[in-house]
């Protein structure tokens, strides 16, 4: 009951878009009755992984920054709360628009929520770049394998900073000044590319970054920084050149659509043998996913800012190797495995980015999937059907994969820990319901039983 009251208060405050309380990740679950083919239009929100870097970059200016098309998801709201706690003025104009003035910022932040997310590490690059010092907790984030930050530290040190882990697990970085440097990353890292770019934009002289990540969100953060007066060239290619400037001015910027949310709905259309129009996207960003869907027999029709996916028959098998952009995204690997679990024949999914991103396979096996994991490869023998079960989301994208499996399984599926899913998908169940899915979010045992009885009554009526 108390939790419900807190949620109600939080929702009231959220309406004013001024967060007083820490955002509470409520333990929730989805109850899904499978077997429906989804149909209709779905509008994709702004890219979470671009918004995290952009919000951190926003505090590098002392002037008003307006960010449009931000997704209303847990990670974003936690980061906005964090910069507010540090002294920035944060005015949530509406769910998808925020005005930020970062002039007054402390250079230290630490709270329970910020320790849970990955994108908090961008505050190090932003604070170090602007104030030449930062103290931020080591990042949390999805438990999908070793998630080192040694490349972030390498870049900061080569720009002239002293970086260490201090008591309590805080990353502490400081520098008398930052000087441009030629930095060659040992591995391609999205986070390190953005973080070192943040630290370098106000450094003295020229910084060259090589062996960088090229994801759309890297380009979006670079474009945003340039809209603030930074001088960055080459984002989206193998080499990024940054000429330091003296300050960054205000800007109004709209975030690109979320490639992974769009891809998740594309695969949902294919898995449920439905017909979805995925709107407000950049088809170019979806090419690896579109190509794979066409290869296995789905119909993929590209428009200027939307893609239609239609699948009427059983799809065929495929081989997937995740890789950095423009390859097949690791963040689409679990959703693709769920789709291939029902395809005709044997499929092989190799996870080449993270070393422990198949935890969800055991949950799919509970639903009747025939998959075995050997090293970094999931070997899938497609089955005719899955059956509903109670399953647990181990992380954000695996949770989305289990929802896809539940949408096509016979009977009921209960997906636990949907708070992971809500870190990166805005109103996931609401969007799915609008497309014809039988899915409800419930927050405790009582609601689960009530909902199941309600659905059972519907079944026999
Ligand atoms: C970002 O994580 C995304 N998160 C992840 O999305 C995404 O899966 C990943 O990039 C790859 O695209 C955010 O943007 C907040 P990496 P990040 O640095 O930055 C190793 C989601 O679902 N590595 O590109 O942590 C690392 O261990 C999330 O939205 C180092 O060894 O990914 C991993 O094996 C999940 N040293 C590989 O590189 C480093 O300093 C790629 O990591 C950095 C990374």
């Amino acid at each position: 009951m108390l939790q419900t009251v807190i949620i109600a208060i939080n929702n009231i405050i959220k309406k004013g878009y001024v967060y007083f309380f820490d955002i509470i990740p409520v333990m929730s679950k989805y109850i899904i009755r499978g077997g429906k083919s989804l149909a209709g239009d779905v509008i994709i929100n702004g890219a979470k992984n671009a918004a995290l870097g952009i919000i951190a970059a926003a505090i590098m200016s002392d002037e008003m920054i307006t960010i449009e098309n931000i997704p209303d998801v847990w990670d974003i709201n936690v980061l906005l709360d964090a910069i507010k706690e540090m002294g920035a003025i944060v005015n949530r104009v509406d769910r998808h628009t925020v005005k930020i003035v970062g002039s007054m910022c402390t250079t230290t932040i630490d709270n329970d929520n910020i320790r849970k997310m990955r994108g908090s590490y961008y505050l190090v690059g932003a604070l170090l770049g602007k104030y030449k010092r930062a103290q931020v907790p080591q990042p949390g984030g999805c438990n999908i394998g070793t998630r080192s930050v040694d490349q972030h530290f390498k870049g900061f040190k080569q720009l002239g900073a002293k970086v260490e882990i201090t008591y309590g697990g805080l990353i502490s970085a400081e520098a008398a000044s930052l000087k441009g440097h030629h930095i060659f990353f040992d591995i391609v890292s999205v986070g390190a590319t953005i973080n070192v770019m943040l630290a370098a934009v106000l450094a003295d002289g020229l910084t060259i970054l090589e062996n960088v990540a090229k994801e759309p969100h890297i380009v979006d953060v670079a474009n945003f920084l340039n809209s603030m007066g930074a001088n960055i060239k080459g984002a989206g290619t193998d080499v990024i050149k940054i000429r330091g400037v003296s300050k960054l001015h205000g800007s109004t910027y709209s975030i690109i659509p979320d490639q992974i949310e769009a891809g998740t709905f594309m695969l949902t259309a294919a898995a449920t043998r439905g017909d979805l129009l995925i709107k407000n996207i950049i088809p170019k960003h979806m090419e690896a996913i579109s190509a794979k869907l066409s290869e296995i027999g789905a119909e993929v029709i590209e428009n200027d800012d939307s893609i239609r996916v239609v699948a009427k028959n059983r799809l065929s098998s495929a081989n997937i190797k995740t890789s950095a952009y423009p390859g097949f995204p690791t963040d689409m690997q679990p959703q693709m495995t769920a789709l291939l679990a029902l395809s005709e024949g044997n499929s092989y999914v190799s996870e080449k980015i993270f070393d422990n991103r198949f935890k969800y396979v055991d949950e799919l096996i509970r639903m009747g999937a025939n998959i075995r994991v050997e090293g970094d490869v999931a070997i899938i023998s497609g089955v005719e059907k899955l059956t509903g079960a109670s399953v647990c989301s181990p992380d954000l994208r695996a949770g989305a994969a289990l929802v896809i499996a539940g949408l096509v399984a016979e009977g009921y599926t209960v997906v636990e820990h949907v708070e992971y899913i809500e870190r990166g998908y805005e109103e996931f169940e609401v969007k799915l319901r609008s497309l014809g899915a039988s899915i409800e979010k419930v927050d405790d045992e009582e609601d689960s039983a009530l909902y199941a009885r309600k659905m059972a009554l519907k079944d026999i009526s």
Side-chain angles (χ1 to χ4, degrees):
M1 186 57 189
L2 174 62
Q3 196 175 40
T4 311
V5 170
I6 291 173
I7 297 163
I9 293 171
N10 211 10
N11 286 337
I12 292 165
I13 287 166
K14 271 175 84 169
K15 288 288 165 281
Y17 296 108
V18 173
Y19 294 103
F20 292 119
F21 291 106
D22 262 350
I23 297 161
I24 303 153
V26 175
M27 306 283 273
S28 318
K29 58 188 82 165
Y30 290 147
I31 300 185
I32 304 166
R33 187 175 56 170
K36 304 272 188 73
S37 290
L38 303 196
D41 299 0
V42 60
I43 296 176
I44 299 304
N45 288 109
K48 165 182 80 85
N49 292 345
L52 291 167
I54 286 169
I55 290 168
I59 65 171
M60 297 182 77
S61 170
D62 290 337
E63 298 173 19
M64 171 75 79
I65 299 282
T66 302
I67 307 172
E68 297 164 346
N69 201 34
I70 58 165
D72 183 9
V73 296
W74 194 79
D75 274 18
I76 296 303
N77 298 335
V78 166
L79 190 58
L80 288 173
D81 254 25
I83 64 170
K84 193 154 73 75
E85 193 177 318
M86 291 160 64
I89 297 167
V90 177
N91 171 19
R92 195 73 175 261
V93 176
D94 60 42
R95 288 188 78 172
H96 302 127
T97 309
V98 66
K99 290 184 179 294
I100 296 169
V101 180
S103 49
M104 293 300 297
C105 265
T106 64
T107 56
T108 298
I109 178 72
D110 190 7
N111 65 46
D112 288 345
N113 282 337
I114 204 81
R115 282 176 175 267
K116 289 187 189 116
M117 60 179 285
R118 183 81 188 159
S120 56
Y121 50 27
Y122 293 137
L123 291 173
V124 181
L127 293 168
L128 181 65
K130 183 178 182 183
Y131 299 107
K132 309 299 181 279
R133 62 181 185 282
Q135 279 210 324
V136 178
Q138 290 181 85
C142 291
N143 182 5
I144 51 180
T146 328
R147 300 189 77 181
S148 167
V149 287
D150 63 312
Q151 298 301 304
H152 301 239
F153 287 16
K154 168 181 175 161
F156 296 149
K157 287 174 181 169
Q158 290 190 331
L159 290 172
K162 180 168 163 276
V163 189
E164 58 185 354
I165 303 294
T166 58
Y167 177 74
L170 294 181
I171 298 172
S172 174
E174 60 182 341
S177 65
L178 293 175
K179 190 168 170 22
H181 197 84
H182 191 159
I183 298 166
F184 197 100
F185 289 114
D186 302 327
I187 55 162
V188 174
S189 159
V190 166
T193 302
I194 291 177
N195 224 351
V196 177
M197 191 161 64
L198 292 171
V201 287
L202 295 171
D204 302 325
L206 173 66
T207 295
I208 299 173
L209 304 181
E210 298 215 46
N211 197 26
V212 292
K214 298 181 273 192
E215 274 68 6
H217 29 295
I218 308 276
V219 178
D220 211 30
V221 175
N223 289 341
F224 171 64
L225 286 163
N226 283 339
S227 79
M228 295 164 75
N231 183 340
I232 303 169
K233 291 185 173 52
T237 72
D238 291 313
V239 183
I240 297 177
K241 291 185 177 174
I242 303 162
R243 288 196 182 284
V245 295
S246 55
K247 73 185 280 272
L248 296 172
H249 52 68
S251 169
T252 294
Y253 192 82
S254 183
I255 291 174
I256 56 169
D258 194 308
Q259 172 202 32
I260 306 302
E261 187 194 16
T264 302
F265 279 97
M266 289 169 69
L267 295 194
T268 302
T272 61
R273 298 196 190 165
D275 181 345
L276 295 186
L277 181 64
I278 293 98
K279 300 167 78 171
N280 181 37
I281 64 168
I282 300 172
K284 171 92 182 128
H285 292 166
M286 310 310 302
E287 282 179 346
I289 298 153
S290 299
K292 209 36 94 170
L293 281 176
S294 302
E295 184 188 315
I296 62 175
E299 190 184 356
V300 180
I301 302 133
E302 280 191 13
N303 308 303
D304 289 345
D305 62 354
S306 64
I307 289 182
R308 184 177 169 206
V309 176
V310 187
K312 293 301 175 209
N313 306 306
R314 190 178 184 190
L315 298 167
S316 55
S317 60
N319 295 339
I320 304 283
K321 271 192 177 49
T322 65
S323 69
Y325 190 84
F328 193 90
T330 175
D331 290 348
M332 288 300 303
Q333 177 263 89
Q335 304 92 309
M336 195 69 194
T337 300
L339 174 62
L340 293 171
L342 285 157
S343 288
E344 182 101 37
N346 293 336
S347 299
Y348 299 84
V349 177
S350 305
E351 174 54 59
K352 297 297 184 187
I353 304 288
F354 289 105
D355 55 18
N356 188 14
R357 198 165 198 172
F358 284 122
K359 284 200 297 290
Y360 64 92
V361 166
D362 288 341
E363 303 298 299
L364 288 178
I365 291 168
R366 288 158 53 80
M367 298 176 73
N370 182 344
I371 307 173
R372 70 178 194 280
V373 176
E374 288 183 4
D376 66 1
V377 184
I379 301 157
I380 306 164
S381 301
V383 294
E384 294 275 345
K385 69 179 176 66
L386 296 175
T387 47
S390 186
V391 291
C392 264
S393 306
D395 61 72
L396 163 56
R397 305 303 175 184
L402 294 174
V403 170
I404 292 174
L407 290 171
V408 299
E410 281 182 0
Y412 292 104
T413 296
V414 178
V415 180
E416 310 261 356
H417 295 302
V418 301
E419 63 275 9
Y420 286 125
I421 300 173
E422 293 178 337
R423 296 187 50 175
Y425 292 94
E426 182 180 318
E427 296 197 325
F428 192 40
E429 86 283 0
V430 174
K431 290 177 179 173
L432 289 169
R433 216 168 24 242
S434 74
L435 299 169
S438 292
I439 180 171
E440 294 281 341
K441 184 169 93 167
V442 293
D443 293 330
D444 61 36
E445 279 316 314
E446 183 199 341
D447 290 354
S448 303
L450 183 66
Y451 178 75
R453 272 201 302 278
K454 200 168 77 172
M455 295 313 290
L457 282 173
K458 267 192 187 171
D459 278 345
I460 56 178
S461 58

